[in-house]
Amino acid sequence: MKFDFSGEVYFDNHTHVLFTDKLSVTPDEVAYNYYHGLDFETDEEGEPLPSEVSLGHLRSQSVVMMLVHAMSEKFGCEPTVEAVTAARNARTTTKEKLAEYTADLFREEHVVGVMLDAPDPMDVPVGDCFPCKVYRLFRYENELFALLKSESTFADLAEKMIQRIRLAKAEGYAGLKGHIGERCGFAIREVSPEEAESAFAQAKAGEKEAFRTVYYGLFPYILETCAEVDIPLHLHTGTTGFVGDIAVHSLDPVLMAPFLAKPQFMKTKIILLHGSFPMNRNAAWMAYNFPNIYLDLSQTLLWQGFMAPRLLEEALSCCPHDKILLGTGQHDYCEMVWLASKIAKSALAETMEHLVDRGMISAEQACDSARKVLSENALRLYGA
């Protein structure tokens, strides 16, 4: 049985702002946009940088190879980073042409919506760079750090965080986003308001363990307020974007299971961003066991491109098909969503063909699941 999902619409469940005025890029910049490794060197100001050795390997990274191939096919040029970059630059010589080029890629892959993660307030039109429907994520940790400086008690911090989440919903944000895993670890422990209060002064002073106590103490308020106003909570998971001082084992989403199993948290919709790679099976297990947890595969399918059919089959084998979301982790360059959509649709076709040919599901079920994963789940989750 052969499937072709290329004409299906696609929703990008996690993206960042795109360039609107960077009209020319270099081959190295194109490749570096797909780097998520550790930074072992520093620049003149002491800021961390990837090593020259790390950068030298980028052109052999699977996702960059796939990008070069797809762009060379589209542009009819040689399959090299230099050639596809030159072809791109020839089409983006003005801001207007860059916008047209972006719109062309979105039309070609039928991208109908994106969930935008940006630090700007809702009234700043950062979503104008997207030629489709834009939903916005509220970065609640920005508020957390501001309140940690301004407030004198944990009780005041918690109350103002609750008010700010309610306001975010009223302002039109479609989701909240946080990094509790990277900042504190997913082995979330119960912290009473009294314990959080006693650690508050030290947390304000920057003591790491005290901050963890305050964050863990605040997290139930965040979960319950999200349920109250019916706004999904997006939690960054996996090792994408991690830095050298993070204990990678603490990023396994299964560690949250004992904490999240409490009945009062079951009404909070939680999206595990980026598939928790390489703990992706554990993330799928969480979505299987918890009725309120969803599995997002943004960034994972793109960066681990050659693994896309296996990643999808593992997710589909464990997680309910109406709880899987796709996306990019896109930033700066519009080719990311274009490539991610191509990878997802091709991998879904391969996966569904395999399942149907083995007699495990019908062709009708395969098409229904593919549409859910590509766009319908996200559109339903965000009330579109």
Side-chain angles (χ1 to χ4, degrees), residues 317-353:
S317 295
C318 185
C319 179
H321 296 188
D322 60 350
K323 296 174 73 179
I324 300 173
L325 310 168
L326 302 181
T328 62
Q330 173 180 246
H331 50 280
D332 302 336
Y333 296 85
C334 55
E335 289 88 1
M336 280 188 163
V337 68
W338 175 76
L339 180 64
S341 177
K342 286 181 177 296
I343 291 172
K345 292 172 181 177
S346 173
L348 272 171
E350 180 181 334
T351 301
M352 294 305 182
E353 288 164 12

PDB file of all heavy atoms in Angstrom, residues 317-353:
ATOM      1  N   SER A 317       3.326   3.655  18.116  1.00  0.00           N
ATOM      2  CA  SER A 317       3.129   2.347  18.727  1.00  0.00           C
ATOM      3  C   SER A 317       2.690   2.458  20.175  1.00  0.00           C
ATOM      4  O   SER A 317       2.012   1.559  20.689  1.00  0.00           O
ATOM      5  CB  SER A 317       4.432   1.530  18.661  1.00  0.00           C
ATOM      6  OG  SER A 317       4.770   1.249  17.322  1.00  0.00           O
ATOM      7  N   CYS A 318       3.071   3.536  20.835  1.00  0.00           N
ATOM      8  CA  CYS A 318       2.804   3.676  22.273  1.00  0.00           C
ATOM      9  C   CYS A 318       1.802   4.782  22.579  1.00  0.00           C
ATOM     10  O   CYS A 318       0.853   4.579  23.334  1.00  0.00           O
ATOM     11  CB  CYS A 318       4.122   3.944  23.002  1.00  0.00           C
ATOM     12  SG  CYS A 318       3.981   4.013  24.799  1.00  0.00           S
ATOM     13  N   CYS A 319       2.015   5.942  22.015  1.00  0.00           N
ATOM     14  CA  CYS A 319       1.191   7.111  22.327  1.00  0.00           C
ATOM     15  C   CYS A 319      -0.098   7.101  21.510  1.00  0.00           C
ATOM     16  O   CYS A 319      -0.082   6.771  20.313  1.00  0.00           O
ATOM     17  CB  CYS A 319       2.002   8.370  22.012  1.00  0.00           C
ATOM     18  SG  CYS A 319       1.113   9.914  22.312  1.00  0.00           S
ATOM     19  N   PRO A 320      -1.244   7.450  22.096  1.00  0.00           N
ATOM     20  CA  PRO A 320      -2.471   7.594  21.309  1.00  0.00           C
ATOM     21  C   PRO A 320      -2.250   8.562  20.141  1.00  0.00           C
ATOM     22  O   PRO A 320      -1.615   9.599  20.306  1.00  0.00           O
ATOM     23  CB  PRO A 320      -3.484   8.152  22.312  1.00  0.00           C
ATOM     24  CG  PRO A 320      -2.986   7.666  23.636  1.00  0.00           C
ATOM     25  CD  PRO A 320      -1.492   7.695  23.535  1.00  0.00           C
ATOM     26  N   HIS A 321      -2.752   8.202  18.990  1.00  0.00           N
ATOM     27  CA  HIS A 321      -2.472   8.976  17.787  1.00  0.00           C
ATOM     28  C   HIS A 321      -3.073  10.372  17.821  1.00  0.00           C
ATOM     29  O   HIS A 321      -2.643  11.251  17.064  1.00  0.00           O
ATOM     30  CB  HIS A 321      -2.974   8.222  16.548  1.00  0.00           C
ATOM     31  CG  HIS A 321      -2.267   6.924  16.331  1.00  0.00           C
ATOM     32  ND1 HIS A 321      -2.439   6.169  15.196  1.00  0.00           N
ATOM     33  CD2 HIS A 321      -1.362   6.240  17.101  1.00  0.00           C
ATOM     34  CE1 HIS A 321      -1.686   5.077  15.273  1.00  0.00           C
ATOM     35  NE2 HIS A 321      -1.034   5.096  16.435  1.00  0.00           N
ATOM     36  N   ASP A 322      -4.049  10.587  18.677  1.00  0.00           N
ATOM     37  CA  ASP A 322      -4.655  11.917  18.782  1.00  0.00           C
ATOM     38  C   ASP A 322      -3.941  12.799  19.805  1.00  0.00           C
ATOM     39  O   ASP A 322      -4.428  13.859  20.166  1.00  0.00           O
ATOM     40  CB  ASP A 322      -6.148  11.829  19.102  1.00  0.00           C
ATOM     41  CG  ASP A 322      -6.437  11.121  20.420  1.00  0.00           C
ATOM     42  OD1 ASP A 322      -5.501  10.528  21.010  1.00  0.00           O
ATOM     43  OD2 ASP A 322      -7.599  11.145  20.865  1.00  0.00           O
ATOM     44  N   LYS A 323      -2.737  12.367  20.240  1.00  0.00           N
ATOM     45  CA  LYS A 323      -1.971  13.156  21.215  1.00  0.00           C
ATOM     46  C   LYS A 323      -0.548  13.431  20.736  1.00  0.00           C
ATOM     47  O   LYS A 323       0.297  13.852  21.526  1.00  0.00           O
ATOM     48  CB  LYS A 323      -1.935  12.417  22.561  1.00  0.00           C
ATOM     49  CG  LYS A 323      -3.309  12.248  23.201  1.00  0.00           C
ATOM     50  CD  LYS A 323      -3.234  11.392  24.456  1.00  0.00           C
ATOM     51  CE  LYS A 323      -2.589  12.133  25.592  1.00  0.00           C
ATOM     52  NZ  LYS A 323      -2.521  11.327  26.825  1.00  0.00           N
ATOM     53  N   ILE A 324      -0.278  13.213  19.458  1.00  0.00           N
ATOM     54  CA  ILE A 324       1.057  13.437  18.900  1.00  0.00           C
ATOM     55  C   ILE A 324       1.047  14.723  18.087  1.00  0.00           C
ATOM     56  O   ILE A 324       0.166  14.936  17.247  1.00  0.00           O
ATOM     57  CB  ILE A 324       1.501  12.256  18.018  1.00  0.00           C
ATOM     58  CG1 ILE A 324       1.534  10.964  18.840  1.00  0.00           C
ATOM     59  CG2 ILE A 324       2.875  12.527  17.409  1.00  0.00           C
ATOM     60  CD1 ILE A 324       1.805   9.712  18.022  1.00  0.00           C
ATOM     61  N   LEU A 325       2.041  15.587  18.338  1.00  0.00           N
ATOM     62  CA  LEU A 325       2.173  16.869  17.646  1.00  0.00           C
ATOM     63  C   LEU A 325       3.533  16.925  16.962  1.00  0.00           C
ATOM     64  O   LEU A 325       4.503  16.325  17.431  1.00  0.00           O
ATOM     65  CB  LEU A 325       2.052  18.023  18.646  1.00  0.00           C
ATOM     66  CG  LEU A 325       0.846  17.987  19.590  1.00  0.00           C
ATOM     67  CD1 LEU A 325       1.017  19.019  20.694  1.00  0.00           C
ATOM     68  CD2 LEU A 325      -0.434  18.232  18.820  1.00  0.00           C
ATOM     69  N   LEU A 326       3.597  17.669  15.864  1.00  0.00           N
ATOM     70  CA  LEU A 326       4.845  17.826  15.121  1.00  0.00           C
ATOM     71  C   LEU A 326       5.274  19.289  15.120  1.00  0.00           C
ATOM     72  O   LEU A 326       4.493  20.185  15.419  1.00  0.00           O
ATOM     73  CB  LEU A 326       4.689  17.333  13.688  1.00  0.00           C
ATOM     74  CG  LEU A 326       4.264  15.878  13.511  1.00  0.00           C
ATOM     75  CD1 LEU A 326       4.183  15.540  12.024  1.00  0.00           C
ATOM     76  CD2 LEU A 326       5.212  14.927  14.218  1.00  0.00           C
ATOM     77  N   GLY A 327       6.519  19.524  14.749  1.00  0.00           N
ATOM     78  CA  GLY A 327       7.014  20.896  14.675  1.00  0.00           C
ATOM     79  C   GLY A 327       8.481  20.923  14.316  1.00  0.00           C
ATOM     80  O   GLY A 327       9.052  19.913  13.892  1.00  0.00           O
ATOM     81  N   THR A 328       9.113  22.056  14.540  1.00  0.00           N
ATOM     82  CA  THR A 328      10.468  22.242  14.041  1.00  0.00           C
ATOM     83  C   THR A 328      11.490  22.623  15.105  1.00  0.00           C
ATOM     84  O   THR A 328      12.624  22.181  15.046  1.00  0.00           O
ATOM     85  CB  THR A 328      10.490  23.355  12.974  1.00  0.00           C
ATOM     86  OG1 THR A 328      10.078  24.576  13.583  1.00  0.00           O
ATOM     87  CG2 THR A 328       9.589  23.022  11.807  1.00  0.00           C
ATOM     88  N   GLY A 329      11.130  23.482  16.063  1.00  0.00           N
ATOM     89  CA  GLY A 329      12.150  24.161  16.854  1.00  0.00           C
ATOM     90  C   GLY A 329      12.834  25.215  15.998  1.00  0.00           C
ATOM     91  O   GLY A 329      13.916  25.701  16.326  1.00  0.00           O
ATOM     92  N   GLN A 330      12.169  25.581  14.915  1.00  0.00           N
ATOM     93  CA  GLN A 330      12.680  26.516  13.904  1.00  0.00           C
ATOM     94  C   GLN A 330      13.097  27.854  14.504  1.00  0.00           C
ATOM     95  O   GLN A 330      12.481  28.358  15.419  1.00  0.00           O
ATOM     96  CB  GLN A 330      11.565  26.723  12.872  1.00  0.00           C
ATOM     97  CG  GLN A 330      11.797  27.769  11.833  1.00  0.00           C
ATOM     98  CD  GLN A 330      10.614  27.851  10.889  1.00  0.00           C
ATOM     99  OE1 GLN A 330      10.728  27.544   9.730  1.00  0.00           O
ATOM    100  NE2 GLN A 330       9.458  28.271  11.392  1.00  0.00           N
ATOM    101  N   HIS A 331      14.159  28.417  13.945  1.00  0.00           N
ATOM    102  CA  HIS A 331      14.568  29.774  14.304  1.00  0.00           C
ATOM    103  C   HIS A 331      15.318  30.386  13.135  1.00  0.00           C
ATOM    104  O   HIS A 331      16.098  29.711  12.448  1.00  0.00           O
ATOM    105  CB  HIS A 331      15.447  29.774  15.552  1.00  0.00           C
ATOM    106  CG  HIS A 331      16.588  28.798  15.493  1.00  0.00           C
ATOM    107  ND1 HIS A 331      16.419  27.463  15.757  1.00  0.00           N
ATOM    108  CD2 HIS A 331      17.888  28.957  15.184  1.00  0.00           C
ATOM    109  CE1 HIS A 331      17.572  26.834  15.631  1.00  0.00           C
ATOM    110  NE2 HIS A 331      18.487  27.713  15.273  1.00  0.00           N
ATOM    111  N   ASP A 332      15.041  31.626  12.863  1.00  0.00           N
ATOM    112  CA  ASP A 332      15.763  32.447  11.879  1.00  0.00           C
ATOM    113  C   ASP A 332      15.440  32.102  10.438  1.00  0.00           C
ATOM    114  O   ASP A 332      15.083  32.970   9.655  1.00  0.00           O
ATOM    115  CB  ASP A 332      17.283  32.362  12.094  1.00  0.00           C
ATOM    116  CG  ASP A 332      17.713  32.798  13.493  1.00  0.00           C
ATOM    117  OD1 ASP A 332      16.963  33.569  14.113  1.00  0.00           O
ATOM    118  OD2 ASP A 332      18.780  32.363  13.950  1.00  0.00           O
ATOM    119  N   TYR A 333      15.588  30.840  10.042  1.00  0.00           N
ATOM    120  CA  TYR A 333      15.522  30.461   8.630  1.00  0.00           C
ATOM    121  C   TYR A 333      14.229  29.716   8.316  1.00  0.00           C
ATOM    122  O   TYR A 333      13.897  28.711   8.959  1.00  0.00           O
ATOM    123  CB  TYR A 333      16.712  29.573   8.255  1.00  0.00           C
ATOM    124  CG  TYR A 333      18.046  30.258   8.379  1.00  0.00           C
ATOM    125  CD1 TYR A 333      18.720  30.295   9.599  1.00  0.00           C
ATOM    126  CD2 TYR A 333      18.635  30.877   7.283  1.00  0.00           C
ATOM    127  CE1 TYR A 333      19.951  30.930   9.723  1.00  0.00           C
ATOM    128  CE2 TYR A 333      19.866  31.513   7.393  1.00  0.00           C
ATOM    129  CZ  TYR A 333      20.517  31.531   8.621  1.00  0.00           C
ATOM    130  OH  TYR A 333      21.736  32.157   8.732  1.00  0.00           O
ATOM    131  N   CYS A 334      13.536  30.168   7.273  1.00  0.00           N
ATOM    132  CA  CYS A 334      12.233  29.601   6.937  1.00  0.00           C
ATOM    133  C   CYS A 334      12.323  28.213   6.313  1.00  0.00           C
ATOM    134  O   CYS A 334      11.311  27.512   6.217  1.00  0.00           O
ATOM    135  CB  CYS A 334      11.480  30.539   5.997  1.00  0.00           C
ATOM    136  SG  CYS A 334      12.385  30.982   4.488  1.00  0.00           S
ATOM    137  N   GLU A 335      13.510  27.786   5.887  1.00  0.00           N
ATOM    138  CA  GLU A 335      13.638  26.452   5.298  1.00  0.00           C
ATOM    139  C   GLU A 335      13.364  25.343   6.309  1.00  0.00           C
ATOM    140  O   GLU A 335      13.061  24.209   5.935  1.00  0.00           O
ATOM    141  CB  GLU A 335      15.039  26.244   4.721  1.00  0.00           C
ATOM    142  CG  GLU A 335      15.338  27.033   3.473  1.00  0.00           C
ATOM    143  CD  GLU A 335      15.888  28.423   3.789  1.00  0.00           C
ATOM    144  OE1 GLU A 335      16.052  28.743   4.995  1.00  0.00           O
ATOM    145  OE2 GLU A 335      16.156  29.176   2.846  1.00  0.00           O
ATOM    146  N   MET A 336      13.469  25.658   7.592  1.00  0.00           N
ATOM    147  CA  MET A 336      13.317  24.625   8.611  1.00  0.00           C
ATOM    148  C   MET A 336      11.926  23.997   8.591  1.00  0.00           C
ATOM    149  O   MET A 336      11.790  22.770   8.621  1.00  0.00           O
ATOM    150  CB  MET A 336      13.614  25.195   9.991  1.00  0.00           C
ATOM    151  CG  MET A 336      15.084  25.307  10.306  1.00  0.00           C
ATOM    152  SD  MET A 336      15.340  25.782  12.039  1.00  0.00           S
ATOM    153  CE  MET A 336      17.061  25.328  12.231  1.00  0.00           C
ATOM    154  N   VAL A 337      10.877  24.798   8.575  1.00  0.00           N
ATOM    155  CA  VAL A 337       9.530  24.232   8.583  1.00  0.00           C
ATOM    156  C   VAL A 337       9.248  23.530   7.261  1.00  0.00           C
ATOM    157  O   VAL A 337       8.558  22.502   7.221  1.00  0.00           O
ATOM    158  CB  VAL A 337       8.475  25.321   8.884  1.00  0.00           C
ATOM    159  CG1 VAL A 337       8.360  26.316   7.742  1.00  0.00           C
ATOM    160  CG2 VAL A 337       7.118  24.682   9.169  1.00  0.00           C
ATOM    161  N   TRP A 338       9.777  24.057   6.179  1.00  0.00           N
ATOM    162  CA  TRP A 338       9.627  23.432   4.870  1.00  0.00           C
ATOM    163  C   TRP A 338      10.242  22.039   4.878  1.00  0.00           C
ATOM    164  O   TRP A 338       9.618  21.067   4.441  1.00  0.00           O
ATOM    165  CB  TRP A 338      10.299  24.351   3.837  1.00  0.00           C
ATOM    166  CG  TRP A 338      10.370  23.865   2.438  1.00  0.00           C
ATOM    167  CD1 TRP A 338       9.360  23.827   1.514  1.00  0.00           C
ATOM    168  CD2 TRP A 338      11.547  23.392   1.760  1.00  0.00           C
ATOM    169  NE1 TRP A 338       9.833  23.363   0.311  1.00  0.00           N
ATOM    170  CE2 TRP A 338      11.171  23.091   0.438  1.00  0.00           C
ATOM    171  CE3 TRP A 338      12.882  23.223   2.144  1.00  0.00           C
ATOM    172  CZ2 TRP A 338      12.070  22.607  -0.516  1.00  0.00           C
ATOM    173  CZ3 TRP A 338      13.780  22.742   1.204  1.00  0.00           C
ATOM    174  CH2 TRP A 338      13.383  22.439  -0.099  1.00  0.00           C
ATOM    175  N   LEU A 339      11.457  21.925   5.399  1.00  0.00           N
ATOM    176  CA  LEU A 339      12.131  20.634   5.451  1.00  0.00           C
ATOM    177  C   LEU A 339      11.455  19.707   6.456  1.00  0.00           C
ATOM    178  O   LEU A 339      11.272  18.510   6.187  1.00  0.00           O
ATOM    179  CB  LEU A 339      13.603  20.826   5.816  1.00  0.00           C
ATOM    180  CG  LEU A 339      14.440  19.554   5.915  1.00  0.00           C
ATOM    181  CD1 LEU A 339      14.522  18.851   4.562  1.00  0.00           C
ATOM    182  CD2 LEU A 339      15.847  19.873   6.431  1.00  0.00           C
ATOM    183  N   ALA A 340      11.087  20.227   7.625  1.00  0.00           N
ATOM    184  CA  ALA A 340      10.445  19.393   8.649  1.00  0.00           C
ATOM    185  C   ALA A 340       9.150  18.788   8.133  1.00  0.00           C
ATOM    186  O   ALA A 340       8.847  17.615   8.397  1.00  0.00           O
ATOM    187  CB  ALA A 340      10.176  20.220   9.900  1.00  0.00           C
ATOM    188  N   SER A 341       8.371  19.574   7.401  1.00  0.00           N
ATOM    189  CA  SER A 341       7.126  19.061   6.839  1.00  0.00           C
ATOM    190  C   SER A 341       7.401  17.952   5.832  1.00  0.00           C
ATOM    191  O   SER A 341       6.727  16.910   5.826  1.00  0.00           O
ATOM    192  CB  SER A 341       6.348  20.203   6.176  1.00  0.00           C
ATOM    193  OG  SER A 341       5.168  19.722   5.569  1.00  0.00           O
ATOM    194  N   LYS A 342       8.396  18.154   4.981  1.00  0.00           N
ATOM    195  CA  LYS A 342       8.747  17.118   4.007  1.00  0.00           C
ATOM    196  C   LYS A 342       9.166  15.827   4.700  1.00  0.00           C
ATOM    197  O   LYS A 342       8.744  14.727   4.321  1.00  0.00           O
ATOM    198  CB  LYS A 342       9.884  17.609   3.104  1.00  0.00           C
ATOM    199  CG  LYS A 342       9.491  18.634   2.060  1.00  0.00           C
ATOM    200  CD  LYS A 342      10.686  19.020   1.206  1.00  0.00           C
ATOM    201  CE  LYS A 342      10.277  19.993   0.107  1.00  0.00           C
ATOM    202  NZ  LYS A 342       9.331  19.373  -0.850  1.00  0.00           N
ATOM    203  N   ILE A 343      10.027  15.963   5.718  1.00  0.00           N
ATOM    204  CA  ILE A 343      10.501  14.788   6.446  1.00  0.00           C
ATOM    205  C   ILE A 343       9.328  14.071   7.103  1.00  0.00           C
ATOM    206  O   ILE A 343       9.199  12.838   7.025  1.00  0.00           O
ATOM    207  CB  ILE A 343      11.540  15.198   7.502  1.00  0.00           C
ATOM    208  CG1 ILE A 343      12.825  15.671   6.826  1.00  0.00           C
ATOM    209  CG2 ILE A 343      11.841  14.036   8.447  1.00  0.00           C
ATOM    210  CD1 ILE A 343      13.841  16.270   7.797  1.00  0.00           C
ATOM    211  N   ALA A 344       8.469  14.821   7.778  1.00  0.00           N
ATOM    212  CA  ALA A 344       7.350  14.222   8.500  1.00  0.00           C
ATOM    213  C   ALA A 344       6.400  13.501   7.545  1.00  0.00           C
ATOM    214  O   ALA A 344       5.972  12.368   7.811  1.00  0.00           O
ATOM    215  CB  ALA A 344       6.605  15.290   9.282  1.00  0.00           C
ATOM    216  N   LYS A 345       6.066  14.131   6.435  1.00  0.00           N
ATOM    217  CA  LYS A 345       5.118  13.524   5.500  1.00  0.00           C
ATOM    218  C   LYS A 345       5.696  12.281   4.842  1.00  0.00           C
ATOM    219  O   LYS A 345       5.005  11.268   4.664  1.00  0.00           O
ATOM    220  CB  LYS A 345       4.698  14.562   4.455  1.00  0.00           C
ATOM    221  CG  LYS A 345       3.855  15.678   5.035  1.00  0.00           C
ATOM    222  CD  LYS A 345       3.601  16.796   4.037  1.00  0.00           C
ATOM    223  CE  LYS A 345       2.778  17.917   4.672  1.00  0.00           C
ATOM    224  NZ  LYS A 345       2.564  19.064   3.731  1.00  0.00           N
ATOM    225  N   SER A 346       6.967  12.339   4.476  1.00  0.00           N
ATOM    226  CA  SER A 346       7.612  11.169   3.880  1.00  0.00           C
ATOM    227  C   SER A 346       7.723  10.036   4.889  1.00  0.00           C
ATOM    228  O   SER A 346       7.453   8.867   4.575  1.00  0.00           O
ATOM    229  CB  SER A 346       9.001  11.567   3.366  1.00  0.00           C
ATOM    230  OG  SER A 346       9.720  10.441   2.918  1.00  0.00           O
ATOM    231  N   ALA A 347       8.134  10.367   6.112  1.00  0.00           N
ATOM    232  CA  ALA A 347       8.288   9.341   7.147  1.00  0.00           C
ATOM    233  C   ALA A 347       6.939   8.740   7.527  1.00  0.00           C
ATOM    234  O   ALA A 347       6.835   7.524   7.778  1.00  0.00           O
ATOM    235  CB  ALA A 347       8.969   9.937   8.367  1.00  0.00           C
ATOM    236  N   LEU A 348       5.906   9.568   7.591  1.00  0.00           N
ATOM    237  CA  LEU A 348       4.576   9.046   7.895  1.00  0.00           C
ATOM    238  C   LEU A 348       4.102   8.097   6.799  1.00  0.00           C
ATOM    239  O   LEU A 348       3.505   7.052   7.090  1.00  0.00           O
ATOM    240  CB  LEU A 348       3.574  10.191   8.053  1.00  0.00           C
ATOM    241  CG  LEU A 348       3.430  10.792   9.438  1.00  0.00           C
ATOM    242  CD1 LEU A 348       2.585  12.056   9.392  1.00  0.00           C
ATOM    243  CD2 LEU A 348       2.828   9.792  10.417  1.00  0.00           C
ATOM    244  N   ALA A 349       4.364   8.450   5.532  1.00  0.00           N
ATOM    245  CA  ALA A 349       3.974   7.576   4.428  1.00  0.00           C
ATOM    246  C   ALA A 349       4.681   6.226   4.548  1.00  0.00           C
ATOM    247  O   ALA A 349       4.049   5.165   4.427  1.00  0.00           O
ATOM    248  CB  ALA A 349       4.304   8.239   3.093  1.00  0.00           C
ATOM    249  N   GLU A 350       5.986   6.253   4.801  1.00  0.00           N
ATOM    250  CA  GLU A 350       6.744   5.016   4.953  1.00  0.00           C
ATOM    251  C   GLU A 350       6.234   4.194   6.128  1.00  0.00           C
ATOM    252  O   GLU A 350       6.057   2.966   6.021  1.00  0.00           O
ATOM    253  CB  GLU A 350       8.223   5.333   5.129  1.00  0.00           C
ATOM    254  CG  GLU A 350       9.103   4.104   5.309  1.00  0.00           C
ATOM    255  CD  GLU A 350      10.571   4.453   5.498  1.00  0.00           C
ATOM    256  OE1 GLU A 350      11.000   5.521   5.019  1.00  0.00           O
ATOM    257  OE2 GLU A 350      11.294   3.645   6.122  1.00  0.00           O
ATOM    258  N   THR A 351       5.996   4.854   7.247  1.00  0.00           N
ATOM    259  CA  THR A 351       5.538   4.158   8.451  1.00  0.00           C
ATOM    260  C   THR A 351       4.166   3.549   8.256  1.00  0.00           C
ATOM    261  O   THR A 351       3.919   2.382   8.610  1.00  0.00           O
ATOM    262  CB  THR A 351       5.521   5.127   9.645  1.00  0.00           C
ATOM    263  OG1 THR A 351       6.832   5.651   9.846  1.00  0.00           O
ATOM    264  CG2 THR A 351       5.059   4.425  10.910  1.00  0.00           C
ATOM    265  N   MET A 352       3.244   4.324   7.688  1.00  0.00           N
ATOM    266  CA  MET A 352       1.892   3.822   7.493  1.00  0.00           C
ATOM    267  C   MET A 352       1.847   2.696   6.462  1.00  0.00           C
ATOM    268  O   MET A 352       1.079   1.731   6.608  1.00  0.00           O
ATOM    269  CB  MET A 352       0.963   4.967   7.081  1.00  0.00           C
ATOM    270  CG  MET A 352       0.758   6.017   8.165  1.00  0.00           C
ATOM    271  SD  MET A 352       0.174   5.292   9.727  1.00  0.00           S
ATOM    272  CE  MET A 352      -0.004   6.768  10.733  1.00  0.00           C
ATOM    273  N   GLU A 353       2.659   2.791   5.418  1.00  0.00           N
ATOM    274  CA  GLU A 353       2.728   1.706   4.437  1.00  0.00           C
ATOM    275  C   GLU A 353       3.160   0.408   5.114  1.00  0.00           C
ATOM    276  O   GLU A 353       2.599  -0.671   4.854  1.00  0.00           O
ATOM    277  CB  GLU A 353       3.717   2.073   3.322  1.00  0.00           C
ATOM    278  CG  GLU A 353       3.217   3.151   2.387  1.00  0.00           C
ATOM    279  CD  GLU A 353       4.323   3.770   1.546  1.00  0.00           C
ATOM    280  OE1 GLU A 353       5.446   3.208   1.525  1.00  0.00           O
ATOM    281  OE2 GLU A 353       4.073   4.806   0.897  1.00  0.00           O
TER     282      GLU A 353
END
